[in-house]
Amino acid sequence: MKSQEKLHGRIEASFNKQPFLTLIGAELDHVENGKVIISCKHKETLTQQQGWLHDGVVTSLADVSCGYAALTTMPVDSEVLTVEFKINLIRPANTNKIIATGQVIKSGKMLVISESTVTDESGETVIAKMLATMIVSHIKR
Amino acid sequence: MKSQEKLHGRIEASFNKQPFLTLIGAELDHVENGKVIISCKHKETLTQQQGWLHDGVVTSLADVSCGYAALTTMPVDSEVLTVEFKINLIRPANTNKIIATGQVIKSGKMLVISESTVTDESGETVIAKMLATMIVSHIKR
Amino acid sequence: MKSQEKLHGRIEASFNKQPFLTLIGAELDHVENGKVIISCKHKETLTQQQGWLHDGVVTSLADVSCGYAALTTMPVDSEVLTVEFKINLIRPANTNKIIATGQVIKSGKMLVISESTVTDESGETVIAKMLATMIVSHIKR
Amino acid sequence: MKSQEKLHGRIEASFNKQPFLTLIGAELDHVENGKVIISCKHKETLTQQQGWLHDGVVTSLADVSCGYAALTTMPVDSEVLTVEFKINLIRPANTNKIIATGQVIKSGKMLVISESTVTDESGETVIAKMLATMIVSHIKR
């Protein structure tokens, strides 16, 4: 329990240092070892021409959920960088809220492979699916 | 020349309807058949924890450049949707401006394959590389 | 039950027409709606320089499992073509047998999104993970 | 000139140790710093149901060309492993020969990003395009 709270605090501290996440209104909903859930509410400023949430918002959320899921499996003095990801945008983000669940597939010393599923507010309808590679880097500052 | 201007106008009209592109300050720099260049200036609201432009911003720009490059090769009454893309984030976006050049590799009746190279403001240093699949859809409204 | 056998027969008929699958010794282990399992035994001719199964073999198996999983969800007179896929090669294929389980994430009229997990012979250790886009085409011959 | 021959010899030595490349009849056509060209002739055993070269063969060739292009930029005592790749299969490999040209986009200390273009025998028609991440490993045997 206590270590769970610690883990949440560690991810939250990093999360809150990212101005872009504040800009889009991303929220950190859940943190456990190897799994992180992030959500984002519909706002007009985040939309594309049809009024749906922009692919860029969906992708950002998925990427961040993969990255923080990876970070939960890394040593405390680590930072995570995205090497690459692939995303299938499966359905339009025509919803009040998107929820990105990032999960670690394999955590290595240098590389972590994560996947993320983005759903609508019901948690049932899949909007996007990501498969990503993250790299561990050590905090120097 | 005239048709070039027309093409630019067509892409610009769609571009201006995307509130998220306004939010991040994306600018449409160049349009030709099969190629579109988009840029975005560094702003603190667009950064991650190290002060660099967020992966989500870099990716959004690359995706949009791939999509509009695809749209230039489609019939006038078309719209483009991203099926999927893969991006390698090669260097940190530690720069005053990022420039995404989207180019069509193959334009089919239903699917268009595009790639995008994102560079720093010099246009020389590659920050990211994307390979994407777009689908043609017909405007119904 | 009967329709399950029919589905298996339909996939098997297509499977047996692919000489490359015979060459590598791929076997069709299981077919159900939206899910196909294919395996391949270690043979020296299929290896790379360290004696492990070649990435090309692992990838072929994953691709074929995604494609046939997609085909199970399509009308009878359809054929499936791979638009693209992304694969993470997570661990070396240092095993007597690889097993690829392809599953459909979303089946649309034109496109089907599938994923595949390749494991070693135990079925537990993940060797590779694929995320793929397939396109429906209609048999004309 | 001399170092060019040396580089070719080094890649060739590794190439010849891969039984799977012998099985499909892959040939090493060209090696230079950051660029490797590999080809493969049409044989019935390498085909899918329509008689075209199998996606698995096209992909294997592209992967190997990315890997060896990466290896040319690494220290002599290195080996290269594929972390992941994404491939768009753009046109059917309905040709007598496929040619894969792998090129390095960015060579880092740990990771190398490569891309490959697979064409038909004319060298003009693009059959597939790959974007890949390779990791450097040190030979221990």
Side-chain angles (χ1 to χ4, degrees):
Chain A
M1 202 60 141
K2 215 136 177 220
S3 83
Q4 189 76 358
E5 278 168 34
K6 233 176 168 172
L7 191 59
H8 196 291
R10 184 182 150 212
I11 300 301
E12 200 172 32
S14 171
F15 193 92
N16 291 337
K17 277 185 211 146
Q18 299 208 58
F20 181 64
L21 299 186
T22 307
L23 181 69
I24 64 171
E27 285 175 49
L28 184 64
D29 291 345
H30 178 82
V31 176
E32 65 178 81
N33 192 34
K35 183 173 169 181
V36 165
I37 305 178
I38 296 170
S39 65
C40 181
K41 291 201 185 78
H42 185 280
K43 286 193 290 187
E44 217 223 300
T45 52
L46 303 181
T47 57
Q48 37 80 282
Q49 64 271 27
Q50 285 121 326
W52 307 329
L53 282 168
H54 199 278
D55 287 351
V57 178
V58 174
T59 302
S60 297
L61 221 65
D63 175 28
V64 171
S65 74
C66 280
Y68 282 128
L71 193 59
T72 64
T73 68
M74 295 177 186
V76 173
D77 62 337
S78 309
E79 228 165 56
V80 62
L81 290 172
T82 303
V83 173
E84 62 79 37
F85 59 76
K86 187 250 177 135
I87 189 165
N88 271 271
L89 297 150
I90 295 170
R91 286 183 187 87
N94 186 11
T95 173
N96 293 317
K97 189 167 115 168
I98 52 173
I99 304 166
T101 303
Q103 292 194 81
V104 170
I105 296 175
K106 161 87 189 298
S107 180
K109 260 183 212 172
M110 284 197 299
L111 298 179
V112 182
I113 315 304
S114 303
E115 63 182 346
S116 180
T117 303
V118 183
T119 66
D120 69 356
E121 58 189 326
S122 76
E124 301 291 318
T125 307
V126 177
I127 286 170
K129 185 101 195 190
M130 178 179 282
L131 186 54
T133 309
M134 304 285 158
I135 194 163
V136 182
S137 87
H138 295 281
I139 296 174
K140 284 161 209 159
R141 284 135 312 126
Chain B
M1 201 61 141
K2 215 135 177 221
S3 82
Q4 189 74 0
E5 280 168 32
K6 232 174 169 172
L7 191 60
H8 196 292
R10 185 183 150 209
I11 301 301
E12 201 172 32
S14 171
F15 194 91
N16 291 337
K17 277 185 212 147
Q18 298 208 57
F20 182 63
L21 299 187
T22 307
L23 181 70
I24 64 171
E27 285 175 48
L28 183 64
D29 291 345
H30 178 82
V31 176
E32 63 178 82
N33 191 34
K35 184 174 171 180
V36 165
I37 305 178
I38 295 170
S39 65
C40 180
K41 292 201 186 77
H42 185 279
K43 286 192 291 188
E44 218 223 300
T45 51
L46 304 181
T47 57
Q48 38 79 282
Q49 64 271 27
Q50 285 122 324
W52 308 329
L53 282 168
H54 199 279
D55 287 351
V57 178
V58 173
T59 302
S60 297
L61 221 65
D63 176 27
V64 171
S65 74
C66 280
Y68 282 128
L71 192 60
T72 64
T73 67
M74 295 175 186
V76 173
D77 62 337
S78 308
E79 228 165 56
V80 63
L81 290 172
T82 303
V83 173
E84 62 78 37
F85 60 76
K86 188 251 177 138
I87 188 164
N88 270 270
L89 297 149
I90 296 171
R91 288 183 185 86
N94 186 11
T95 173
N96 293 317
K97 190 166 116 170
I98 52 172
I99 304 167
T101 303
Q103 292 193 79
V104 170
I105 295 174
K106 162 86 190 296
S107 181
K109 259 183 214 172
M110 284 197 299
L111 299 178
V112 181
I113 316 304
S114 302
E115 63 182 346
S116 181
T117 303
V118 183
T119 67
D120 69 356
E121 58 189 325
S122 76
E124 301 290 319
T125 307
V126 177
I127 285 171
K129 185 102 193 188
M130 177 178 281
L131 186 54
T133 309
M134 304 285 159
I135 193 163
V136 183
S137 87
H138 295 281
I139 296 175
K140 283 161 210 158
R141 285 134 312 127
Chain C
M1 201 61 141
K2 215 133 177 225
S3 82
Q4 190 75 358
E5 279 168 34
K6 232 175 170 173
L7 191 59
H8 196 291
R10 184 182 150 210
I11 301 301
E12 201 172 32
S14 170
F15 194 90
N16 291 337
K17 277 185 212 146
Q18 298 208 56
F20 182 64
L21 300 186
T22 307
L23 180 70
I24 65 171
E27 285 176 48
L28 184 64
D29 290 346
H30 178 82
V31 176
E32 64 179 80
N33 192 35
K35 183 174 170 181
V36 165
I37 305 178
I38 296 169
S39 65
C40 180
K41 291 200 185 79
H42 186 279
K43 286 192 288 185
E44 218 223 300
T45 51
L46 303 181
T47 57
Q48 38 79 283
Q49 64 271 27
Q50 285 122 325
W52 307 330
L53 282 169
H54 199 278
D55 287 352
V57 177
V58 174
T59 302
S60 297
L61 222 65
D63 176 28
V64 171
S65 74
C66 280
Y68 282 129
L71 192 59
T72 64
T73 67
M74 294 176 186
V76 173
D77 62 337
S78 309
E79 227 165 57
V80 62
L81 290 172
T82 304
V83 172
E84 63 78 36
F85 59 77
K86 188 251 178 137
I87 188 164
N88 271 271
L89 297 149
I90 295 170
R91 288 183 185 88
N94 186 12
T95 174
N96 293 317
K97 190 166 115 171
I98 51 172
I99 304 166
T101 303
Q103 293 193 78
V104 170
I105 296 174
K106 161 88 189 296
S107 181
K109 259 183 214 171
M110 283 197 299
L111 299 178
V112 181
I113 314 305
S114 302
E115 64 181 345
S116 180
T117 304
V118 184
T119 66
D120 70 355
E121 57 189 327
S122 77
E124 301 292 318
T125 308
V126 177
I127 286 171
K129 185 100 194 191
M130 178 179 280
L131 187 54
T133 310
M134 304 285 157
I135 193 162
V136 183
S137 87
H138 295 282
I139 296 175
K140 283 160 208 158
R141 283 134 313 124
Chain D
M1 203 61 140
K2 212 126 176 232
S3 82
Q4 189 75 358
E5 279 169 33
K6 233 175 167 173
L7 191 59
H8 195 291
R10 185 182 150 210
I11 300 302
E12 201 172 31
S14 171
F15 194 92
N16 290 337
K17 277 185 213 145
Q18 298 208 55
F20 182 63
L21 299 186
T22 307
L23 181 70
I24 65 171
E27 286 175 49
L28 184 63
D29 291 345
H30 178 83
V31 175
E32 62 179 83
N33 191 35
K35 183 174 171 181
V36 165
I37 304 177
I38 295 170
S39 65
C40 181
K41 291 200 185 78
H42 185 279
K43 285 194 290 185
E44 217 223 300
T45 52
L46 303 180
T47 57
Q48 36 80 282
Q49 64 271 27
Q50 285 122 324
W52 308 330
L53 283 168
H54 199 278
D55 287 352
V57 177
V58 174
T59 302
S60 298
L61 221 65
D63 176 28
V64 171
S65 74
C66 280
Y68 282 129
L71 193 59
T72 64
T73 67
M74 295 175 185
V76 173
D77 62 336
S78 308
E79 230 166 54
V80 62
L81 290 171
T82 303
V83 173
E84 62 78 37
F85 60 76
K86 188 251 178 139
I87 187 165
N88 270 271
L89 296 150
I90 296 171
R91 288 182 186 87
N94 186 12
T95 173
N96 293 316
K97 191 167 117 171
I98 51 173
I99 304 166
T101 302
Q103 293 193 80
V104 170
I105 295 174
K106 161 87 189 298
S107 180
K109 260 183 215 172
M110 286 197 299
L111 299 178
V112 182
I113 316 304
S114 302
E115 63 181 346
S116 180
T117 304
V118 183
T119 67
D120 70 356
E121 58 189 327
S122 75
E124 302 290 320
T125 308
V126 177
I127 286 171
K129 185 102 195 189
M130 178 180 281
L131 187 54
T133 310
M134 305 284 158
I135 193 162
V136 183
S137 87
H138 295 281
I139 296 175
K140 283 160 210 161
R141 288 135 309 129

